[in-house]
Amino acid sequence: MSTPHDPHLEHVHGGRCCEPAAPQPSAPVKDPVCGMTVNPATARGGSHLYEGKTYYFCNPKCKDKFAANPVQYLAPVVLEGPKAEAIAPTLTPGQTASPGALAKVIYTCPMHPEVRQEGPGACPKCGMALEPETVEAEETTNPELQSMQRRLWISLLFTAPTFALAMSEMVPGEPVQQALGAWAVWLQLAFSAPVVLWGGWPFFQRGWASVVHRHPNMFTLIALGTSAAFGFSLLAVFFPEWLPHSMSHAGAVPVYFEASAVIVTLVLLGQVLELRARSATSGAIRALLVLSPKTARRVLEDGSELEVPLEQVEVGHQLRVRPGEKIPVDGTVTDGGSSVDESSITGESMPVEKAKGSALTGGTLNGTGTLVLRAERVGKDTLLAQIVSLVSEAQRSRAPIQRLADVVSGWFVPAVVLVAALTAGIWGIFGPEPRLAYALVNAVAVLIIACPCALGLATPMSIMVGTGRGASAGVLVKNAEALELLEKVDTLVVDKTGTLTEGKPTLATLVAAPGFSEQELLKYAAALEQTSEHPLAAAIVAGAKARPVEVPEAKNFRSITGKGVQGRVGEMEVALGNARFLTERNVETEPLLAEAGRLREQGETVVFLEVGGKLAGLLGVQDPIKESTPEALVALQGAGLRIVMLSGDNERTAQAVARKLGITDVRADVLPDQKHAVIEQLKREGAMVAMAGDGTNDAPALAAAHVGIAMGTGTDVAMQSAGITLLRGDLRGIVRARHLSQAVMKNIRQNLFFAFVYNSLGVPIAAGLLYPAFGLLLSPMFASAAMAFSSVSVIGNALRLRRVDI
């Protein structure tokens, strides 16, 4: 993927980091050590020349670190901002990294997909652990999860005695304190120090990074709260005389070692649960990846078979698929017959019969027969690989509703710090004795409970799980915006051919004009159409082969979009098209207009043939309505959608099809370049428009609609222009897609509501709002437990989408 030149971005090239050009003195650059933006003209840390490139630093310490080991800071380059794209070498979705190639894997943040770097790490914006963009079929070890689990179990061993010693003060007579005396406090310090300083070290690192990068986040609050409680306790132990006498209670200065240790342990527990839950959101992609077999059975020229790795299969290879085996790649049946279960790709449970000439899709399951296929699309070109890529990209996309959470999150942490400061001030002035102790405890509780992570995860987690659920049902979502808008759609525009109908017209009627026979009519028409790619052309050519009729070659072929085709067959000038086309060529169509009208009333598309300047006859082509179309239209109309049918056919032909389907709004005689105009007109009228089509000429209209829906049986251009692709290729997929959109948006709203309500209630309670009336205060330990489970609850709610019925 090419990236526009931008001196603000660092580029990865050939495995090494380099700036695309020497920065001008006024052009800001990134400090490669801490990531801060530095003006080269005023860089306080100076500069350092490495391998012909000049790097600038915010302070001398960063420069010294870089000079000591430049490679350490040039390998994991973090790319931030809206222009940051995949400019580093990446793996194809599903591709397994070779040993030692970890640095080649791009990791990204689920909350901030613009943050990307080589190798694992933490997001500089929100502090969350990054995850690989590419998912492997088999779940691999998560180094972040392993680290957090190890820290959790060791911290738990030290937290338990710390908590027990602190709570022993509540035992009548305080026997533990009587036995240990001053050693009780020193033991609490000894047990809590490893928890806070080692177990909580990643939180302090990320909290400091949030300050350096000017992106305050949940780790900013955790670091502030924990360090305040632990630091105050250290001060009370080593320098008790520095504290006001009013802070002592019964002659002893309070310490909060157990609070800081429990906070860290509970946050570690929350991180472990969150990381486990986040790994489950990739289950949909893994389920797709395991569909593809690891080997294929290649048929050699002498008829023998050789089992080869799937990566060695090339286009043109003949492959044998035995009963019960998975189809290895996309191809066409060259020998044999069987029924194939395509439910893993299309979501349809009924097996599809396959015979010679039938198309096969990699990842589907062969039934009872043996098939030999010719490989036509392999590797990243297979439909399955494209599905995996599309789902992966959709999971990283951002829905418009996320903007609200982004705005709130941007102001949230500073607001919480301000609330914590006000809480400390109010309790320190107006609270009961010991006032400063109350001020500290309540301020820490405010900092700990106000976790913005749940708010940030509310949308991306639902999108990740929802797009995966759609893929399993044959609904591919290209981006989150399309999924959000589909719920709001009130008008569905459908192209007739290939969407409402099979898109495989058949020749139904031949009517020859006086002086011509049906054989001649079909001969000339097929001669012209054998050069055309139009679906009607294929029907006419197939009809000629079925008769059979000898089809000569046409010369000087020319296609006139929306009208017809013309050329020279033998000594005759021949033209085939609609009545308007022949009229423009001064050919009278009046003798056959009545017959044409009768055929159109039956739903046939009529084309007129001119041979040597004379009307030779007409041909009627019929495109059968898909069996699933009536059922789907009833469901869509029952959901309140207005259905508009577009067709390039004559008004009478289009109306005949519309009557059979109960569609009242029909736009006929629409040329391909006019479909876009119809969409724009509906949008100007205030409609929220979805467009469903399958042809190349539908692409502009699909792109213009609020939501473009492409049929998977259509062209690649149509699918690239659409926000949603239906693998099965029938309108029932739109019903499923709409149900998916409604389920995902409902889930997102539930998550956002929970996150907002949680913080709206939690922060005031932690600040002591209930104390005047009920005498209730929220312990920092309970606050940390609530904070730890807030993110887990949001992810858990999102995971329910894996089982939603669409």
Side-chain angles (χ1 to χ4, degrees):
M1 180 183 298
S2 61
T3 303
H5 173 73
D6 189 339
H8 294 214
L9 290 179
E10 294 174 310
H11 290 235
V12 177
H13 179 69
R16 288 163 45 192
C17 173
C18 61
E19 295 172 357
Q24 299 299 320
S26 60
V29 295
K30 293 281 187 181
D31 182 326
V33 175
C34 67
M36 288 189 64
T37 301
V38 179
N39 187 329
T42 59
R44 289 188 297 173
S47 63
H48 180 81
L49 185 66
Y50 176 69
E51 293 192 354
K53 306 299 177 183
T54 302
Y55 298 90
Y56 296 87
F57 306 90
C58 65
N59 63 71
K61 291 184 178 179
C62 285
K63 178 182 177 181
D64 293 342
K65 290 180 180 179
F66 181 84
N69 189 2
V71 177
Q72 176 185 351
Y73 301 101
L74 297 184
V77 180
V78 177
L79 306 177
E80 296 182 44
K83 293 184 180 181
E85 295 188 13
I87 56 178
T90 59
L91 297 177
T92 302
Q95 181 180 344
T96 303
S98 59
L102 183 62
K104 298 295 184 182
V105 179
I106 298 299
Y107 280 67
T108 185
C109 174
M111 285 173 54
H112 302 93
E114 70 276 11
V115 174
R116 311 172 72 248
Q117 74 174 41
E118 291 183 0
C123 175
K125 292 187 175 182
C126 66
M128 290 181 61
L130 302 180
E131 52 190 37
E133 281 190 329
T134 56
V135 178
E136 297 184 10
E138 296 180 0
E139 191 167 356
T140 55
T141 302
N142 184 337
E144 177 75 7
L145 178 58
Q146 282 189 323
S147 173
M148 288 297 174
Q149 284 177 328
R150 183 172 60 254
R151 292 177 187 273
L152 170 62
W153 290 116
I154 295 176
S155 296
L156 191 59
L157 290 176
F158 285 93
T159 299
T162 307
F163 185 76
L165 284 169
M167 293 299 102
S168 66
E169 296 177 358
M170 303 177 64
V171 178
E174 299 185 353
V176 176
Q177 276 63 32
Q178 293 295 333
L180 296 176
W183 284 103
V185 173
W186 287 99
L187 285 173
Q188 288 185 51
L189 169 59
F191 283 124
S192 63
V195 178
V196 175
L197 301 180
W198 178 78
W201 183 245
F203 308 145
F204 291 111
Q205 283 183 314
R206 296 174 189 184
W208 176 249
S210 72
V211 176
V212 171
H213 292 286
R214 298 186 180 90
H215 286 289
N217 52 51
M218 65 172 286
F219 295 102
T220 315
L221 303 179
I222 293 170
L224 280 173
T226 308
S227 58
F230 190 74
F232 171 81
S233 302
L234 287 177
L235 189 66
V237 170
F238 290 102
F239 306 101
E241 67 276 7
W242 290 8
L243 300 178
H245 180 71
S246 60
M247 291 204 68
S248 62
H249 181 69
V253 177
V255 292
Y256 301 98
F257 291 123
E258 88 287 354
S260 55
V262 170
I263 288 170
V264 169
T265 303
L266 287 173
V267 174
L268 285 169
L269 174 62
Q271 289 292 296
V272 169
L273 295 176
E274 178 185 318
L275 289 166
R276 285 180 177 176
R278 280 169 58 185
S279 67
T281 61
S282 301
I285 294 183
R286 289 195 180 93
L288 290 170
L289 290 173
V290 299
L291 294 177
S292 181
K294 299 184 185 302
T295 61
R297 206 181 307 277
R298 183 182 172 190
V299 180
L300 303 179
E301 293 183 1
D302 60 1
S304 62
E305 296 180 8
L306 177 65
E307 190 168 351
V308 297
L310 192 62
E311 293 77 12
Q312 294 182 11
V313 175
E314 298 178 3
V315 174
H317 282 178
Q318 296 287 324
L319 307 175
R320 188 183 304 279
V321 185
R322 293 176 178 174
E325 293 182 341
K326 293 178 180 178
I327 310 295
V329 296
D330 297 356
T332 302
V333 177
T334 58
D335 188 27
S338 182
S339 60
V340 176
D341 181 359
E342 298 182 338
S343 60
S344 57
I345 300 294
T346 65
E348 296 294 333
S349 58
M350 292 297 295
V352 181
E353 294 298 323
K354 302 291 183 178
K356 186 175 181 179
S358 298
L360 294 172
T361 303
T364 55
L365 184 64
N366 186 26
T368 57
T370 297
L371 297 171
V372 176
L373 66 97
R374 179 185 182 276
E376 294 180 345
R377 292 198 294 185
V378 301
K380 66 180 181 180
D381 296 326
T382 64
L383 177 61
L384 181 58
Q386 293 180 40
I387 291 173
V388 171
S389 177
L390 195 62
V391 173
S392 182
E393 290 176 11
Q395 290 185 339
R396 307 293 177 200
S397 62
R398 296 169 70 82
I401 197 173
Q402 177 71 18
R403 294 169 191 158
L404 173 63
D406 290 343
V407 171
V408 173
S409 297
W411 293 95
F412 188 79
V413 173
V416 169
V417 174
L418 178 61
V419 171
L422 290 174
T423 299
I426 292 173
W427 279 93
I429 297 172
F430 303 105
E433 295 293 350
R435 291 175 182 172
L436 292 182
Y438 277 112
L440 175 69
V441 170
N442 291 322
V444 170
V446 169
L447 291 171
I448 295 300
I449 200 171
C451 172
C453 194
L455 186 62
L457 286 173
T459 299
M461 289 297 105
S462 297
I463 293 296
M464 289 182 73
V465 181
T467 52
R469 175 67 183 95
S472 67
V475 177
L476 290 186
V477 179
K478 187 175 182 180
N479 56 65
E481 183 177 6
L483 193 61
E484 177 176 338
L485 293 178
L486 186 58
E487 179 197 38
K488 305 173 185 177
V489 164
D490 54 31
T491 302
L492 175 63
V493 179
V494 290
D495 181 61
K496 179 181 77 70
T497 303
T499 305
L500 297 174
T501 63
E502 293 286 354
K504 298 176 181 178
T506 57
L507 182 62
T509 306
L510 288 170
V511 178
F516 292 89
S517 66
E518 290 187 359
Q519 289 286 101
E520 290 178 302
L521 186 67
L522 194 53
K523 179 185 74 173
Y524 285 114
L528 273 184
E529 294 288 37
Q530 67 183 348
T531 312
S532 174
E533 296 180 354
H534 196 280
L536 294 182
I540 292 172
V541 173
K545 292 179 179 179
R547 290 304 191 262
V549 172
E550 185 177 346
V551 180
E553 181 182 356
K555 298 180 180 180
N556 302 327
F557 175 83
R558 183 185 172 201
S559 174
I560 295 86
T561 303
K563 296 181 180 180
V565 293
Q566 64 185 45
R568 188 173 185 84
V569 180
E571 299 299 322
M572 294 291 185
E573 290 292 333
V574 181
L576 181 72
N578 55 33
R580 181 173 52 187
F581 180 43
L582 264 66
T583 299
E584 291 174 358
R585 293 175 57 85
N586 298 318
V587 176
E588 182 59 56
T589 59
E590 180 67 28
L592 294 179
L593 286 181
E595 181 63 18
R598 185 184 68 81
L599 296 176
R600 287 173 181 142
E601 291 291 345
Q602 298 175 5
E604 293 186 25
T605 299
V606 176
V607 289
F608 294 87
L609 179 69
E610 168 206 344
V611 177
K614 297 180 181 179
L615 178 66
L618 60 80
L619 298 88
V621 177
Q622 193 168 42
D623 187 6
I625 295 172
K626 293 179 180 178
E627 292 183 6
S628 59
T629 296
E631 173 193 344
L633 288 177
V634 169
L636 292 168
Q637 290 170 331
L641 266 67
R642 169 192 177 191
I643 308 297
V644 179
M645 188 182 86
L646 291 185
S647 176
D649 286 338
N650 178 278
E651 179 76 24
R652 294 173 71 176
T653 302
Q655 288 290 353
V657 174
R659 279 195 301 272
K660 295 179 181 178
L661 297 173
I663 299 175
T664 57
D665 194 339
V666 180
R667 314 292 172 94
D669 288 316
V670 178
L671 297 177
D673 58 350
Q674 295 174 340
K675 294 180 180 180
H676 178 276
V678 173
I679 300 297
E680 293 294 346
Q681 178 189 347
L682 291 170
K683 290 168 65 177
R684 286 193 298 269
E685 294 173 358
M688 180 65 71
V689 184
M691 164 73 184
D694 73 333
T696 300
N697 56 26
D698 294 326
L702 290 170
H706 291 106
V707 181
I709 304 174
M711 300 294 158
T713 52
T715 63
D716 290 341
V717 175
M719 287 185 275
Q720 291 170 6
S721 302
I724 292 175
T725 298
L726 308 178
L727 292 178
R728 183 63 178 172
D730 67 57
L731 291 184
R732 289 177 299 185
I734 299 181
V735 180
R736 290 195 290 267
R738 188 170 169 82
H739 288 165
L740 177 67
S741 172
Q742 292 168 340
V744 169
M745 295 312 300
K746 180 181 178 181
N747 193 272
I748 289 175
R749 293 188 187 102
Q750 290 170 345
N751 285 344
L752 289 174
F753 174 79
F754 173 80
F756 277 119
V757 169
Y758 166 81
N759 286 297
S760 299
L761 295 178
V763 172
I765 292 174
L769 183 66
L770 300 180
Y771 185 80
F774 304 99
L776 296 177
L777 289 175
L778 186 66
S779 165
M781 291 182 286
F782 286 108
S784 61
M787 182 273 295
F789 286 103
S790 62
S791 299
V792 177
S793 61
V794 165
I795 300 175
N797 186 50
L799 288 174
R800 293 193 305 114
L801 289 170
R802 293 186 299 178
R803 298 180 297 275
V804 69
D805 182 14
I806 61 172

